[in-house]
Structure formats: C-alpha cells, structure tokens
Amino acid sequence: MKGFEKFSIWVLINLLLWSSSCARGSSVVNPCCYYPCQNSGVCVRFETDIYQCDCTHTGFYGQNCTDPEFWMRLHLMLKPSPSVVHFILTHFQWFWDLVNSSFLRDTFMRLVLTVRSDLIPSPPTYNTRYGYLSWESYYNISYYTRLLPPIPEDCPLPMGTKGKHDLPDPRLLAERFFKRKKFRPDPQGTNLMFAFMAQHFTHQFFKTIHEVQGGFTKALGHGVDASHIYGDNLERQLQLRLRKNGKLNYQLLNGETYPPTVSEVPVHMLYPEDFPEELRLVTGHELFGLLPGLTMYATIWLREHNRVCDILRAEHPTWDDEQLFQTSRLIIIGEIINIIIEEYVQHLSGYLLKLKFDPTLLFTERFQYSNRIALEFCHLYHWHPLMPDSFLIDGDEIPYSQFLYNTSILMHYGVEKLVDSFSRQPAGQIGGGQNSHEKVVKVVEMVIKESRATRVQPFNEYRKKFNLTPYNSFYEFTDDFQMAKGLEELYGDIDALELYPGIMLEKSRPDSIFGESMVEMGAPFSLKGLLGNPLCSPEYWKPSTFGGDTGFNIIKTSSLKKLVCLNTRWCPYVDFHVPRNEDKAEKSYTDL
C-alpha cells in the first residue's frame, strides 16, 4: 500500500511538472534568453541548459566575452565615451574652424566614416526567421537584415527573462507616452523642409510588407537607388519615362513642369476612390500623393532629372534615350547622397566638423560596397513627431483634414511658396515622447506590434551593441518622473523595455532633436548605407561614369539650394533649418 501511495505521489508530481511545462513551453530556460554574451559575442546553445559564447574577432575572451585582450584593454583605456565624443564634436568652435579649413577635415571625416560604418556588419547576418548565420539570411533580400538575432521563441518572458509576463498594450503606450499634449518645436531649429525630405528620401528603401509578418520588404534595392523617383520595378520605370531624350514624363501647367496624371501615365497610385482624376499625380512611389510635401519633392526631382538630361544631351549628341536616362539617374543618385551627407546628416548631428561627401576618403580603407537595410534601422526611423499641428503656407493655415491627399495645394501655391513656407515652419522635437500628432499616433502602434511580431531584442541590448552603457532604471532613462513611473509599472524592468519606445522616449540631449541612442544607432546605419553605395566605389567614382567632368561636377557641387533654385522661377528661402536671422536669410537667398 505504501508503495502504491509513493507511486501515486510520484505520478501526481510528474503530472504537475508536465502541466507546468506545457503552460510555459518548457521547464528548462534557454540560457541564451539571458543574453549572457557581451561585446558582440555569439550565444550558441548546447543540449538544453548549456551555452557557449563565441568571442571570435571581438577582442574579448572568457565565458561571457567580458575579459578584454591586451590591445582591446589598451583601446578601451584610451577611447572616449560616445557622450564625450559628441561633446567635443559640438563644442570648441575655434578648433573646428581650424579643422574645416585644413587637411585635417579629411582626416576627421575619414575617422567618422570608418568608426561609424564598422559597427554595421557586412555581409548581413540575421533575419527574423534565422537567429543564426545562414545562407538564406544572406541571399534572400526579401527580408530586412537584423543587427541582433531575434529573441528566442522559447524564452519564458516576452523580452527574455526580465519584465512582466504580458507586454503593455500598444494603444495604451501610444496614447499615454507618444500622443502630443502640446506641440514642442525642435530646439535644433529643424523645419518641415527637413521633415518631408526625411519621408521622401527613406521611402526608397523602407518598404515593409505589413500584410505579412516577419520583417519582409518589397524593396528590390537596399539603399539609395532613387526608386522613389523612378519606380521600384522596370515596368513602372518605363511607364514613368518619356522615352525621348532620356527624360521622365511630365505635364506643363502655366509653363511649369509637374508630374503627369494617372490618365496620362496609368501606373498604380494610392488615392481615395472619389479623388478627382486631374489631381491624381503620378510619382515614383505610389504613396507620395498623400502629402503635398512629398509631391513637392517628387516635382523638384522630376525637374532636376530632366534638367540634367538637357545638359548631357548638349554634350553627347550621339547618345540615345537609354544612355541619357541611365547616366542622368546615376547623377541624381550622387546628388541625393551628397545632399543627405553634407546638409541633412550635418544638420541632424549638430557637429561643428563640416561633413564631406568624398568617396575617395575610403579608397585606402577596408570597406565593402554593399548594403542591406536592417529591420532595426527601419523601426527607429519613424520620426512622425516632426509633423506640426497644422501647416502654414503663404500666410494660410491648413489643418490636417485639408492637407492630406490634396495635390491641388502644390499647383495652387507652386513649388517656390511651398519650399519657402516649409523652410520657415519649425518641425517637432522627435525625442522625449508626447509629441506625436493624433493623426500619426497610430504609426506608433503599428511599429510596436511589428517589433513584437519579429521579436526584436530589448532596448538595453542595442545600447550595448552600439557601445553605450545600458540604463539601470527608468528614472535614469528619462528625466520625466511620471513617464518613468508609468513605464516601470507597465514593463517592470528597464531591461524589458522595447527598442522603439526606448529610442523615442529616451531623454533628449540638451538642445537636441533626440536622445543619445538615436544618434549613436542611427548614424552607423545611415553612413554605411550611403557610402556603401556602388556609386561610391573606385570602379564607379570617376568622370566617365557620369558622362564626363560636367556630370561629375553636378554631383560634387550639388546642394539643397541648387536643387530647388535651378528648378524654380524664383529662389525662395531653402534650408533644413528655420531662418536664424529673417532679414539675413531673405537677402542671402536672392541669388544662386
């Protein structure tokens, strides 16, 4: 009888263990769920509860890759922290004036490019399906790549082993921590000209397939290919082309060039069903009819492409339509990269070092001319707090209800007045939270849901990946006490905070558009993607690629001001920064 009682107890215990195991998926925790491997070490699981950290090429050794080798120890002793480097680059004007006017500019620029780019692995590593190196991750470009592998599926908690059993409701997060209470302008002076450039520029390589979970992209190119101007496939490109003198199709309104309508060029565009046919303008990207700011940039680049075609045709009368088009496209791609580095990134960084687009700086360095867009880069680039409460154009205030899907605004005011107005109106501060307009706050929910579906690792793990010190508490993470308290209640542990809320809600640097993490994570992705373009390689970067010195110089001397003023009847105020001095701004932009 005693034996039967013991057997019954043994059966009961095992049944309880089995049911508990079924409820959690496994009674043994995957050791990689603890993220034990530091300093880019790779966690490899053996059996059920044994792991090893592969520390190869990290400069560290030990069970968890925490012990620095001699040269790494020396490097760490001498290397300043990211915050110190940022402080130096944004202070000491007299020193940077000296650097910018001497050979030292090239030296510092090369250092910026190599240090930033080295943080991004090339060739690509992971994707959502494969948390380990595989040929599929490298070869299948329909996936975004991943900087860190996804959270293992068998972890006991959503973010690994820390935090709560259930993540906060995305709508609650969006409403409580992202939705705007009062418009907060960016203290760096960012304007709407920058905001619309950010949207227009990035839509050529951020093309997530939202209908299919798993980090898929429909972009055929993973970088700056100007597909937002020319279409993302050959069929669309051929429809957008005039098929004469290399030019893109267009319509003339009051003697000015604008994109054609869908009735003239029948390509797929996203417009409301009842939208007037004559206002359905056609652009390289199907979504650019949504905002007049995007249609404005599409118009400017259309005009610039056709202007470049005229210049090339005058120099090369024997060239056919195809060669004129293809060479003009290469020049346009070069112009885009130049403007983005020397003006767009320059503005974002706040650096006193004058950034320079010169691919030859890397010709003697170990550098790979290829790029894959990372899922993390796509997520952190949702900068919708830039959008204002309403739009001020030529003295008129236009609310969202009249701004969305209204291409008539472009034709009514003209490119010049839109550029001038957008360059003068402040954009919102991105970092710090509670600054997203209610019309765009749903994007927050979308990104958070997508992040969870693709099992993106916690914010602090990315801090470590980019050589930043992980936060110890929510009160260190943000200087807003109520926000810190609320996040702590919802997440339970700072190590369970998700990447996108972490990037967007982090306290901003003093007088800056966003926090430390956005700069230190975004800049490497951006610079590697820009300089990794084949156009920047020794094989491409030479005059013959662009039809000779004239085409080459169009790229080298390009600027936002030239892009606008060479394609408009009069030259408006154009910059990524609101006017610092109104009178001075008006005088300085009267002539090219």
Side-chain angles (χ1 to χ4, degrees), residues 152-197:
E153 292 181 322
D154 56 353
C155 291
L157 297 173
M159 301 306 289
T161 59
K162 293 186 178 181
K164 298 192 174 184
H165 283 276
D166 296 308
L167 289 171
D169 176 57
R171 180 171 296 181
L172 173 64
L173 287 172
E175 291 287 330
R176 187 171 174 183
F177 302 112
F178 287 83
K179 187 176 180 179
R180 178 175 294 157
K181 294 182 177 179
K182 181 182 179 182
F183 177 73
R184 191 170 69 248
D186 169 40
Q188 278 185 224
T190 303
N191 59 25
L192 295 190
M193 196 67 181
F194 176 94
F196 288 123
M197 172 63 91

Short mmCIF file of all heavy atoms in Angstrom, two decimals, residues 152-197:
data_model
loop_
_atom_site.label_atom_id
_atom_site.label_comp_id
_atom_site.label_asym_id
_atom_site.label_seq_id
_atom_site.Cartn_x
_atom_site.Cartn_y
_atom_site.Cartn_z
N PRO A 152 14.84 34.43 -28.74
CA PRO A 152 14.47 33.02 -28.92
C PRO A 152 13.00 32.78 -28.61
O PRO A 152 12.44 33.36 -27.67
CB PRO A 152 15.38 32.29 -27.92
CG PRO A 152 16.57 33.18 -27.77
CD PRO A 152 16.02 34.58 -27.87
N GLU A 153 12.36 31.95 -29.40
CA GLU A 153 10.92 31.72 -29.26
C GLU A 153 10.55 31.01 -27.96
O GLU A 153 9.41 31.10 -27.51
CB GLU A 153 10.40 30.90 -30.45
CG GLU A 153 10.44 31.67 -31.76
CD GLU A 153 9.89 30.86 -32.92
OE1 GLU A 153 10.16 29.64 -32.95
OE2 GLU A 153 9.20 31.43 -33.77
N ASP A 154 11.52 30.30 -27.35
CA ASP A 154 11.18 29.52 -26.15
C ASP A 154 11.56 30.22 -24.85
O ASP A 154 11.68 29.57 -23.80
CB ASP A 154 11.87 28.14 -26.21
CG ASP A 154 13.38 28.24 -26.37
OD1 ASP A 154 13.90 29.37 -26.58
OD2 ASP A 154 14.06 27.19 -26.30
N CYS A 155 11.76 31.53 -24.89
CA CYS A 155 12.06 32.26 -23.66
C CYS A 155 10.83 32.31 -22.76
O CYS A 155 9.69 32.37 -23.25
CB CYS A 155 12.54 33.68 -23.97
SG CYS A 155 14.16 33.75 -24.76
N PRO A 156 11.01 32.33 -21.44
CA PRO A 156 9.87 32.31 -20.51
C PRO A 156 9.06 33.60 -20.49
O PRO A 156 7.89 33.59 -20.12
CB PRO A 156 10.52 32.04 -19.15
CG PRO A 156 11.92 32.55 -19.29
CD PRO A 156 12.31 32.27 -20.71
N LEU A 157 9.69 34.73 -20.89
CA LEU A 157 9.01 36.02 -20.90
C LEU A 157 9.14 36.67 -22.27
O LEU A 157 10.07 36.34 -23.02
CB LEU A 157 9.59 36.94 -19.82
CG LEU A 157 9.42 36.47 -18.37
CD1 LEU A 157 10.18 37.39 -17.42
CD2 LEU A 157 7.95 36.41 -17.98
N PRO A 158 8.27 37.58 -22.63
CA PRO A 158 8.29 38.16 -23.97
C PRO A 158 9.62 38.78 -24.38
O PRO A 158 10.03 38.70 -25.53
CB PRO A 158 7.19 39.23 -23.91
CG PRO A 158 6.27 38.76 -22.85
CD PRO A 158 7.14 38.08 -21.83
N MET A 159 10.34 39.41 -23.41
CA MET A 159 11.60 40.06 -23.72
C MET A 159 12.80 39.25 -23.25
O MET A 159 13.92 39.78 -23.18
CB MET A 159 11.63 41.47 -23.12
CG MET A 159 10.51 42.38 -23.59
SD MET A 159 10.40 42.52 -25.41
CE MET A 159 11.86 43.47 -25.78
N GLY A 160 12.61 38.01 -22.91
CA GLY A 160 13.71 37.15 -22.48
C GLY A 160 13.44 36.55 -21.13
O GLY A 160 12.61 35.64 -20.99
N THR A 161 14.12 37.07 -20.11
CA THR A 161 13.93 36.56 -18.74
C THR A 161 13.59 37.67 -17.75
O THR A 161 13.49 37.41 -16.56
CB THR A 161 15.20 35.85 -18.26
OG1 THR A 161 16.31 36.76 -18.29
CG2 THR A 161 15.52 34.64 -19.13
N LYS A 162 13.42 38.90 -18.25
CA LYS A 162 13.11 40.01 -17.36
C LYS A 162 11.83 40.70 -17.81
O LYS A 162 11.42 40.61 -18.97
CB LYS A 162 14.27 41.00 -17.32
CG LYS A 162 15.53 40.43 -16.67
CD LYS A 162 16.60 41.49 -16.52
CE LYS A 162 17.84 40.92 -15.83
NZ LYS A 162 18.90 41.95 -15.66
N GLY A 163 11.22 41.40 -16.87
CA GLY A 163 9.98 42.10 -17.18
C GLY A 163 8.76 41.29 -16.78
O GLY A 163 8.84 40.34 -16.00
N LYS A 164 7.62 41.68 -17.31
CA LYS A 164 6.36 41.04 -16.95
C LYS A 164 5.95 40.00 -18.00
O LYS A 164 6.48 39.96 -19.11
CB LYS A 164 5.28 42.10 -16.80
CG LYS A 164 5.59 43.10 -15.67
CD LYS A 164 4.39 43.95 -15.32
CE LYS A 164 4.68 44.82 -14.10
NZ LYS A 164 3.51 45.61 -13.67
N HIS A 165 4.99 39.18 -17.61
CA HIS A 165 4.53 38.11 -18.50
C HIS A 165 3.80 38.64 -19.72
O HIS A 165 3.76 37.99 -20.76
CB HIS A 165 3.63 37.13 -17.73
CG HIS A 165 4.40 36.19 -16.85
ND1 HIS A 165 4.96 35.03 -17.33
CD2 HIS A 165 4.71 36.25 -15.53
CE1 HIS A 165 5.58 34.41 -16.34
NE2 HIS A 165 5.44 35.13 -15.23
N ASP A 166 3.22 39.83 -19.59
CA ASP A 166 2.49 40.43 -20.70
C ASP A 166 3.05 41.82 -20.98
O ASP A 166 3.21 42.63 -20.05
CB ASP A 166 1.00 40.52 -20.40
CG ASP A 166 0.35 39.15 -20.23
OD1 ASP A 166 0.53 38.32 -21.15
OD2 ASP A 166 -0.30 38.93 -19.20
N LEU A 167 3.33 42.11 -22.24
CA LEU A 167 3.81 43.43 -22.61
C LEU A 167 2.65 44.42 -22.62
O LEU A 167 1.49 44.04 -22.83
CB LEU A 167 4.46 43.38 -23.99
CG LEU A 167 5.81 42.64 -24.05
CD1 LEU A 167 6.26 42.46 -25.49
CD2 LEU A 167 6.88 43.40 -23.25
N PRO A 168 2.92 45.71 -22.43
CA PRO A 168 1.85 46.72 -22.39
C PRO A 168 1.09 46.78 -23.71
O PRO A 168 1.64 46.52 -24.78
CB PRO A 168 2.62 48.03 -22.14
CG PRO A 168 3.94 47.62 -21.59
CD PRO A 168 4.25 46.28 -22.17
N ASP A 169 -0.17 47.15 -23.63
CA ASP A 169 -1.00 47.32 -24.81
C ASP A 169 -0.42 48.44 -25.68
O ASP A 169 -0.18 49.54 -25.19
CB ASP A 169 -2.43 47.68 -24.39
CG ASP A 169 -3.31 47.96 -25.59
OD1 ASP A 169 -3.42 47.07 -26.45
OD2 ASP A 169 -3.88 49.07 -25.66
N PRO A 170 -0.17 48.18 -26.98
CA PRO A 170 0.43 49.21 -27.85
C PRO A 170 -0.37 50.50 -27.90
O PRO A 170 0.21 51.59 -27.93
CB PRO A 170 0.46 48.52 -29.22
CG PRO A 170 0.50 47.07 -28.92
CD PRO A 170 -0.34 46.90 -27.68
N ARG A 171 -1.70 50.38 -27.89
CA ARG A 171 -2.53 51.60 -27.92
C ARG A 171 -2.35 52.41 -26.65
O ARG A 171 -2.27 53.65 -26.69
CB ARG A 171 -4.00 51.22 -28.11
CG ARG A 171 -4.93 52.44 -28.16
CD ARG A 171 -6.34 52.05 -28.56
NE ARG A 171 -6.36 51.52 -29.92
CZ ARG A 171 -7.46 51.12 -30.54
NH1 ARG A 171 -8.63 51.19 -29.91
NH2 ARG A 171 -7.40 50.66 -31.77
N LEU A 172 -2.25 51.73 -25.51
CA LEU A 172 -2.02 52.42 -24.24
C LEU A 172 -0.69 53.16 -24.27
O LEU A 172 -0.60 54.32 -23.85
CB LEU A 172 -2.05 51.42 -23.09
CG LEU A 172 -1.67 51.96 -21.71
CD1 LEU A 172 -2.67 53.02 -21.25
CD2 LEU A 172 -1.59 50.82 -20.68
N LEU A 173 0.35 52.49 -24.76
CA LEU A 173 1.67 53.12 -24.85
C LEU A 173 1.62 54.36 -25.75
O LEU A 173 2.16 55.42 -25.40
CB LEU A 173 2.69 52.14 -25.42
CG LEU A 173 3.15 51.00 -24.50
CD1 LEU A 173 4.01 50.01 -25.28
CD2 LEU A 173 3.93 51.54 -23.30
N ALA A 174 0.95 54.22 -26.91
CA ALA A 174 0.88 55.32 -27.86
C ALA A 174 0.13 56.51 -27.27
O ALA A 174 0.58 57.66 -27.37
CB ALA A 174 0.22 54.84 -29.15
N GLU A 175 -1.01 56.25 -26.65
CA GLU A 175 -1.84 57.32 -26.11
C GLU A 175 -1.19 57.99 -24.90
O GLU A 175 -1.25 59.21 -24.73
CB GLU A 175 -3.21 56.77 -25.71
CG GLU A 175 -4.08 56.35 -26.89
CD GLU A 175 -4.63 57.52 -27.66
OE1 GLU A 175 -4.85 58.59 -27.04
OE2 GLU A 175 -4.85 57.38 -28.88
N ARG A 176 -0.55 57.19 -24.07
CA ARG A 176 -0.03 57.70 -22.80
C ARG A 176 1.34 58.37 -22.93
O ARG A 176 1.61 59.38 -22.26
CB ARG A 176 0.03 56.56 -21.79
CG ARG A 176 0.40 56.98 -20.38
CD ARG A 176 0.22 55.82 -19.42
NE ARG A 176 0.69 56.13 -18.08
CZ ARG A 176 0.69 55.26 -17.07
NH1 ARG A 176 0.20 54.04 -17.25
NH2 ARG A 176 1.15 55.61 -15.88
N PHE A 177 2.19 57.82 -23.81
CA PHE A 177 3.57 58.30 -23.84
C PHE A 177 3.99 58.95 -25.15
O PHE A 177 5.01 59.63 -25.19
CB PHE A 177 4.53 57.14 -23.54
CG PHE A 177 4.29 56.47 -22.22
CD1 PHE A 177 3.81 55.18 -22.16
CD2 PHE A 177 4.53 57.16 -21.04
CE1 PHE A 177 3.58 54.56 -20.94
CE2 PHE A 177 4.31 56.55 -19.81
CZ PHE A 177 3.82 55.25 -19.75
N PHE A 178 3.22 58.77 -26.22
CA PHE A 178 3.62 59.32 -27.51
C PHE A 178 2.72 60.46 -27.98
O PHE A 178 3.20 61.40 -28.62
CB PHE A 178 3.61 58.22 -28.58
CG PHE A 178 4.75 57.24 -28.47
CD1 PHE A 178 4.70 56.18 -27.58
CD2 PHE A 178 5.88 57.39 -29.26
CE1 PHE A 178 5.74 55.27 -27.48
CE2 PHE A 178 6.93 56.50 -29.16
CZ PHE A 178 6.87 55.44 -28.28
N LYS A 179 1.43 60.39 -27.68
CA LYS A 179 0.49 61.38 -28.20
C LYS A 179 0.80 62.77 -27.67
O LYS A 179 1.08 62.95 -26.48
CB LYS A 179 -0.94 60.97 -27.81
CG LYS A 179 -2.01 61.85 -28.44
CD LYS A 179 -3.40 61.32 -28.09
CE LYS A 179 -4.49 62.18 -28.69
NZ LYS A 179 -5.84 61.66 -28.36
N ARG A 180 0.72 63.74 -28.56
CA ARG A 180 1.08 65.12 -28.25
C ARG A 180 0.07 65.76 -27.31
O ARG A 180 -1.14 65.64 -27.50
CB ARG A 180 1.17 65.92 -29.54
CG ARG A 180 1.49 67.41 -29.36
CD ARG A 180 1.67 68.08 -30.71
NE ARG A 180 2.86 67.55 -31.38
CZ ARG A 180 3.04 67.60 -32.70
NH1 ARG A 180 2.13 68.12 -33.48
NH2 ARG A 180 4.15 67.11 -33.23
N LYS A 181 0.59 66.42 -26.29
CA LYS A 181 -0.23 67.24 -25.41
C LYS A 181 -0.17 68.70 -25.88
O LYS A 181 -1.17 69.39 -25.94
CB LYS A 181 0.25 67.11 -23.97
CG LYS A 181 0.07 65.71 -23.38
CD LYS A 181 0.53 65.65 -21.94
CE LYS A 181 0.29 64.26 -21.34
NZ LYS A 181 0.76 64.18 -19.93
N LYS A 182 1.05 69.13 -26.18
CA LYS A 182 1.27 70.47 -26.71
C LYS A 182 2.48 70.39 -27.63
O LYS A 182 3.48 69.76 -27.31
CB LYS A 182 1.52 71.47 -25.58
CG LYS A 182 1.74 72.90 -26.07
CD LYS A 182 2.02 73.84 -24.90
CE LYS A 182 2.27 75.27 -25.41
NZ LYS A 182 2.58 76.20 -24.30
N PHE A 183 2.38 71.03 -28.80
CA PHE A 183 3.47 70.98 -29.77
C PHE A 183 4.76 71.49 -29.16
O PHE A 183 4.81 72.57 -28.56
CB PHE A 183 3.12 71.81 -31.00
CG PHE A 183 4.23 71.87 -32.02
CD1 PHE A 183 4.53 70.77 -32.80
CD2 PHE A 183 4.98 73.03 -32.19
CE1 PHE A 183 5.56 70.82 -33.74
CE2 PHE A 183 5.99 73.09 -33.13
CZ PHE A 183 6.29 71.98 -33.91
N ARG A 184 5.80 70.70 -29.30
CA ARG A 184 7.12 71.04 -28.77
C ARG A 184 8.08 71.17 -29.95
O ARG A 184 8.50 70.16 -30.54
CB ARG A 184 7.59 69.95 -27.80
CG ARG A 184 8.82 70.30 -26.99
CD ARG A 184 9.08 69.27 -25.89
NE ARG A 184 9.50 67.98 -26.42
CZ ARG A 184 8.76 66.88 -26.36
NH1 ARG A 184 7.54 66.91 -25.83
NH2 ARG A 184 9.20 65.73 -26.85
N PRO A 185 8.45 72.38 -30.36
CA PRO A 185 9.34 72.55 -31.51
C PRO A 185 10.74 72.01 -31.22
O PRO A 185 11.19 72.00 -30.08
CB PRO A 185 9.36 74.06 -31.74
CG PRO A 185 9.03 74.65 -30.40
CD PRO A 185 8.09 73.68 -29.76
N ASP A 186 11.39 71.55 -32.27
CA ASP A 186 12.74 71.04 -32.11
C ASP A 186 13.69 72.17 -31.74
O ASP A 186 13.78 73.17 -32.46
CB ASP A 186 13.20 70.38 -33.41
CG ASP A 186 14.68 70.06 -33.39
OD1 ASP A 186 15.17 69.62 -32.33
OD2 ASP A 186 15.35 70.28 -34.42
N PRO A 187 14.43 72.04 -30.65
CA PRO A 187 15.35 73.11 -30.24
C PRO A 187 16.52 73.31 -31.19
O PRO A 187 17.18 74.35 -31.15
CB PRO A 187 15.83 72.66 -28.85
CG PRO A 187 15.61 71.18 -28.82
CD PRO A 187 14.39 70.95 -29.67
N GLN A 188 16.80 72.32 -32.07
CA GLN A 188 17.87 72.48 -33.05
C GLN A 188 17.45 73.34 -34.24
O GLN A 188 18.28 73.69 -35.08
CB GLN A 188 18.32 71.12 -33.60
CG GLN A 188 19.29 70.39 -32.70
CD GLN A 188 19.82 69.10 -33.31
OE1 GLN A 188 19.89 68.09 -32.64
NE2 GLN A 188 20.18 69.12 -34.58
N GLY A 189 16.16 73.67 -34.32
CA GLY A 189 15.69 74.51 -35.41
C GLY A 189 15.31 73.76 -36.66
O GLY A 189 15.22 74.35 -37.75
N THR A 190 15.07 72.46 -36.55
CA THR A 190 14.65 71.66 -37.70
C THR A 190 13.31 72.16 -38.24
O THR A 190 12.43 72.55 -37.47
CB THR A 190 14.51 70.18 -37.28
OG1 THR A 190 15.75 69.74 -36.76
CG2 THR A 190 14.13 69.30 -38.47
N ASN A 191 13.16 72.15 -39.56
CA ASN A 191 11.93 72.65 -40.17
C ASN A 191 11.22 71.56 -40.96
O ASN A 191 11.66 70.40 -41.01
CB ASN A 191 12.23 73.87 -41.05
CG ASN A 191 13.23 73.54 -42.17
OD1 ASN A 191 13.36 72.39 -42.59
ND2 ASN A 191 13.94 74.55 -42.64
N LEU A 192 10.10 71.93 -41.59
CA LEU A 192 9.31 70.96 -42.35
C LEU A 192 9.97 70.57 -43.66
O LEU A 192 9.69 69.50 -44.21
CB LEU A 192 7.91 71.50 -42.62
CG LEU A 192 7.02 71.74 -41.40
CD1 LEU A 192 5.60 72.05 -41.84
CD2 LEU A 192 7.02 70.51 -40.48
N MET A 193 10.87 71.40 -44.18
CA MET A 193 11.62 71.02 -45.38
C MET A 193 12.45 69.78 -45.08
O MET A 193 12.56 68.88 -45.91
CB MET A 193 12.51 72.18 -45.82
CG MET A 193 13.04 72.06 -47.23
SD MET A 193 11.71 72.19 -48.45
CE MET A 193 12.65 71.98 -49.98
N PHE A 194 13.00 69.73 -43.89
CA PHE A 194 13.75 68.56 -43.44
C PHE A 194 12.80 67.38 -43.22
O PHE A 194 13.09 66.25 -43.63
CB PHE A 194 14.48 68.87 -42.14
CG PHE A 194 15.21 67.69 -41.56
CD1 PHE A 194 16.54 67.47 -41.84
CD2 PHE A 194 14.55 66.77 -40.73
CE1 PHE A 194 17.21 66.37 -41.32
CE2 PHE A 194 15.20 65.67 -40.21
CZ PHE A 194 16.54 65.47 -40.51
N ALA A 195 11.67 67.63 -42.59
CA ALA A 195 10.72 66.57 -42.26
C ALA A 195 10.24 65.85 -43.52
O ALA A 195 10.19 64.61 -43.57
CB ALA A 195 9.53 67.14 -41.49
N PHE A 196 9.90 66.62 -44.55
CA PHE A 196 9.42 65.99 -45.78
C PHE A 196 10.56 65.33 -46.55
O PHE A 196 10.33 64.33 -47.25
CB PHE A 196 8.69 67.02 -46.65
CG PHE A 196 7.35 67.42 -46.09
CD1 PHE A 196 7.05 68.74 -45.82
CD2 PHE A 196 6.38 66.45 -45.83
CE1 PHE A 196 5.81 69.11 -45.31
CE2 PHE A 196 5.13 66.81 -45.32
CZ PHE A 196 4.85 68.13 -45.06
N MET A 197 11.76 65.85 -46.44
CA MET A 197 12.90 65.17 -47.06
C MET A 197 13.13 63.82 -46.39
O MET A 197 13.41 62.82 -47.07
CB MET A 197 14.17 66.03 -46.94
CG MET A 197 15.45 65.32 -47.39
SD MET A 197 15.47 64.85 -49.14
CE MET A 197 16.22 66.31 -49.87
#
